[in-house]
Amino acid sequence: MITSTRRVSPDAPEVRISFSLDHTSDARDADDIAQTFPDLEQRLQPVSPCVSLKESVHVYKEHCRMAREFHQVKHDIAALEERKCQLLAELVEDQKVAAEISRPEDDEFRRLSEENRTLVTAHVHFLLRREGNEASLPLVVG
């Protein structure tokens, strides 16, 4: 470790500067972390730290952590978009099946509704004729 003490001016306090050319644990950590992030733009890639400055190594580690987090978020978004496409495809298929099933039911409903109206009309005419209120009323079926 090299240490130097200097005064900028006679009335200023001493300034002590220390640095080491040995790898500290922070520097080794920074070397271990040295990685690239292919999904990040070049201008957003973490820049290697100045290993002699703990703050630089700390900033580098934080930048790498955020890059990993960004990568994970992009991965999660891609997975969610894929799931969304699957669900939309299932929805379209379910709607097609429901439309095919309901078409015969709609036809049958119309036919039965018409038959019901005819039967109600015939029943009303029958009751009126039976009571004799409208003996001249013709029986209409159909």
Side-chain angles (χ1 to χ4, degrees):
M1 178 176 309
I2 300 172
T3 303
S4 175
T5 305
R6 300 277 187 244
R7 275 186 203 255
V8 179
S9 64
D11 56 334
E14 289 183 349
V15 176
R16 180 175 291 195
I17 299 173
S18 299
F19 65 94
S20 171
L21 298 177
D22 296 334
H23 281 286
T24 64
S25 63
D26 286 343
R28 279 194 298 275
D29 290 346
D31 290 341
D32 292 343
I33 293 175
Q35 41 186 301
T36 59
F37 300 91
D39 51 349
L40 276 181
E41 297 175 32
Q42 182 61 37
R43 65 186 182 87
L44 299 177
Q45 292 286 331
V47 177
S48 296
C50 177
V51 292
S52 62
L53 297 173
K54 287 185 178 186
E55 185 177 338
S56 177
V57 173
H58 176 72
V59 168
Y60 176 76
K61 287 180 182 181
E62 186 66 18
H63 194 169
C64 288
R65 184 194 61 75
M66 288 189 294
R68 283 190 299 276
E69 186 177 320
F70 175 76
H71 175 74
Q72 183 62 43
V73 168
K74 277 186 79 172
H75 176 74
D76 292 348
I77 289 171
L80 289 171
E81 286 177 347
E82 183 178 330
R83 180 69 177 137
K84 174 186 168 187
C85 289
Q86 291 171 348
L87 290 173
L88 286 174
E90 289 177 21
L91 177 65
V92 167
E93 186 62 31
D94 288 347
Q95 287 174 339
K96 285 180 186 177
V97 169
E100 290 173 6
I101 290 173
S102 70
R103 205 170 304 131
E105 289 174 354
D106 290 345
D107 293 342
E108 185 176 1
F109 178 77
R110 279 192 288 277
R111 185 182 60 75
L112 290 173
S113 294
E114 183 59 35
E115 185 179 337
N116 186 36
R117 277 192 291 276
T118 303
L119 290 173
V120 167
T121 303
H123 180 69
V124 167
H125 284 286
F126 173 76
L127 290 176
L128 291 175
R129 283 181 66 145
R130 192 171 112 187
E131 292 177 1
N133 293 343
E134 305 243 352
S136 63
L137 190 64
L139 181 61
V140 177
V141 178

